[in-house]
Amino acid sequence: MATTTSTRRQFLTLLGLSAVSAGCGAATGAPSGKGQTRTLRYQGWAGQVTVAELAADLGYLEDVKLEWVGNTISGPQDIQSAATGQVDFGGAFNGAVVKLAANNAPIKAVISYYGTDRHAYNGFYVLEDSAVRSPRDLLGKKVGMNTLGGHSEALLDIYLRRKGLSDAEIDEVESLVVPPVNTEQALRQKQIDVAVLGGMLRDKALEKGGIRPLFTDHQLLGSFSAGTYVMTNRFLRQNPDTARVFVTGVGRALDWSRSTPREEVVARMTDIVNRRRRNEDPAPLKYWRSYGVAEAGGRITGKELQLWIDWLAERGDIDKDRVRPADLFTNDFNEAGRGSARPAATTKGS
């Protein structure tokens, strides 16, 4: 089950190319004007309330409705579904967005929707008595994460490279796909050596004890917006008013989550999960602290994408000279956060 550098690159390349081949012919939305679609198909995350779902519940999407078509456990899969027209928007870590766009997928990042701060972060955890205490201790070890080609694998690669490991040595570290809800159990049963845990799953595991962090993405890179929602160029062209309402509404929901007491945000999320009847346990929501987005209204600055352009170019996955951040995103549909000072990175009551 080992994942080599070559396999990782093949995965990312296939992700981009498959989206290009299908996405270029995918028809989404309706003609501009009065015929614009007012229903957006999307994928959710089990046991979580996405910021888009929060925006809808707060009434910030006005007459635009969300149509849930199922759940995903993978950002790369979600944005591929958006690029191929199976859904109308999808979200993923920005490295996956850059890779997909670099392979000529007809998509544009429109707003940041998750990030890393001192409350919202992913940690790479080992058992308390584990012999893994340094990067070189990871050679020959298994690291469990939710998907390959996404945020966690990218952070692991950056961590190992910054600590001086060679490509050959990095190849000796096995990245394995483990469903998020099973990751803690797999670590405790010693099926994997390192578990990538974030958000509610991380805090629940820490509450039980017996594990310790090897490193976290916040320790490695500080606070940053890590992922964006994307839409196809065709959808944006045919449905500009719908896109404006959606993106602005999501931006307003992000700002609301920062300025509202945490207990009120959690109560609202819990009510959303209970009302949507997807057979989910709302109890873990009590651990929610932040969406982690760095900028007001989720606006994109370009630096969030440049980080991953540099990383992918260093790995040889893309030609850096052919990818410009300004070509990958737009704030034109986001009326939230304009002229605002950067808000606090935490929610009141944290």
Side-chain angles (χ1 to χ4, degrees):
M1 298 179 73
T3 304
T4 64
T5 299
S6 175
T7 302
R8 292 169 182 161
R9 292 175 180 173
Q10 291 172 4
F11 172 83
L12 288 169
T13 299
L14 288 173
L15 172 63
L17 293 179
S18 62
V20 172
S21 61
C24 289
T28 62
S32 59
K34 294 183 179 180
Q36 292 182 40
T37 183
R38 306 306 275 184
T39 299
L40 300 180
R41 298 161 298 152
Y42 79 103
Q43 296 182 111
W45 291 78
Q48 300 181 33
V49 176
T50 68
V51 67
E53 291 170 328
L54 179 62
D57 193 70
L58 289 167
Y60 292 163
L61 300 189
E62 301 175 14
D63 65 336
V64 173
K65 307 299 182 184
L66 298 184
E67 179 184 334
W68 176 69
V69 300
N71 287 328
T72 182
I73 62 168
S74 165
Q77 183 275 333
D78 198 30
I79 60 172
Q80 181 176 353
S81 294
T84 56
Q86 298 173 67
V87 294
D88 297 309
F89 69 91
F93 122 88
N94 284 325
V97 173
V98 169
K99 183 62 180 181
L100 201 59
N103 279 285
N104 299 317
I107 60 169
K108 191 81 73 174
V110 292
I111 190 169
S112 295
Y113 75 101
Y114 88 90
T116 293
D117 61 24
R118 65 189 184 92
H119 293 300
Y121 63 88
N122 286 328
F124 288 67
Y125 291 91
V126 298
L127 295 176
E128 193 69 53
D129 60 357
S130 172
V132 177
R133 295 187 175 276
S134 70
R136 293 195 178 277
D137 293 335
L138 288 173
L139 300 183
K141 298 299 190 294
K142 299 176 181 179
V143 183
M145 57 190 65
N146 73 312
T147 188
L148 302 183
H151 182 110
S152 297
E153 191 178 17
L155 268 294
L156 176 61
D157 188 77
I158 289 175
Y159 171 72
L160 296 174
R161 289 179 184 276
R162 288 190 176 183
K163 297 301 181 179
L165 272 67
S166 66
D167 287 345
E169 290 171 326
I170 292 173
D171 286 348
E172 295 183 38
V173 182
E174 299 185 31
S175 297
L176 307 179
V177 175
V178 182
V181 295
N182 301 126
T183 307
E184 177 193 350
Q185 181 182 12
L187 176 65
R188 295 188 187 278
Q189 294 180 347
K190 299 185 178 181
Q191 297 171 333
I192 56 178
D193 302 286
V194 184
V196 182
L197 299 170
M200 296 166 276
L201 297 176
R202 176 201 66 225
D203 289 348
K204 285 185 66 178
L206 289 172
E207 194 173 73
K208 292 179 184 177
I211 64 173
R212 58 179 170 81
L214 181 62
F215 74 97
T216 72
D217 51 8
H218 188 245
Q219 291 172 340
L220 190 65
L221 297 176
S223 298
F224 64 99
S225 294
T228 47
Y229 279 147
V230 303
M231 290 178 154
T232 63
N233 295 330
R234 172 178 287 186
F235 186 93
L236 294 172
R237 184 172 61 252
Q238 294 182 338
N239 302 277
D241 296 334
T242 300
R244 176 189 55 77
V245 171
F246 170 74
V247 175
T248 300
V250 169
R252 291 180 63 195
L254 285 169
D255 291 344
W256 180 87
S257 73
R258 292 189 183 98
S259 61
T260 302
R262 188 185 69 82
E263 293 77 9
E264 184 178 334
V265 179
V266 170
R268 185 116 194 181
M269 289 180 168
T270 301
D271 184 55
I272 291 171
V273 168
N274 287 333
R275 282 188 283 109
R276 69 190 184 191
R277 301 184 182 277
R278 297 181 192 170
N279 193 29
E280 303 163 286
D281 178 12
L285 289 169
K286 68 181 181 181
Y287 295 98
W288 183 90
R289 292 291 183 275
S290 167
Y291 283 114
V293 174
E295 304 299 329
R299 298 177 69 79
I300 304 170
T301 67
K303 63 184 180 182
E304 311 96 326
L305 299 165
Q306 187 64 59
L307 170 67
W308 305 109
I309 291 173
D310 295 339
W311 173 69
L312 288 164
E314 181 182 357
R315 286 162 48 97
D317 291 329
I318 64 172
D319 183 349
K320 185 175 181 179
D321 294 334
R322 298 183 61 183
V323 182
R324 297 190 314 129
D327 296 332
L328 307 182
F329 75 94
T330 178
N331 287 311
D332 289 349
F333 300 94
N334 191 354
E335 296 181 358
R338 286 182 175 172
S340 300
R342 177 177 170 174
T346 59
T347 301
K348 290 183 179 179
S350 297

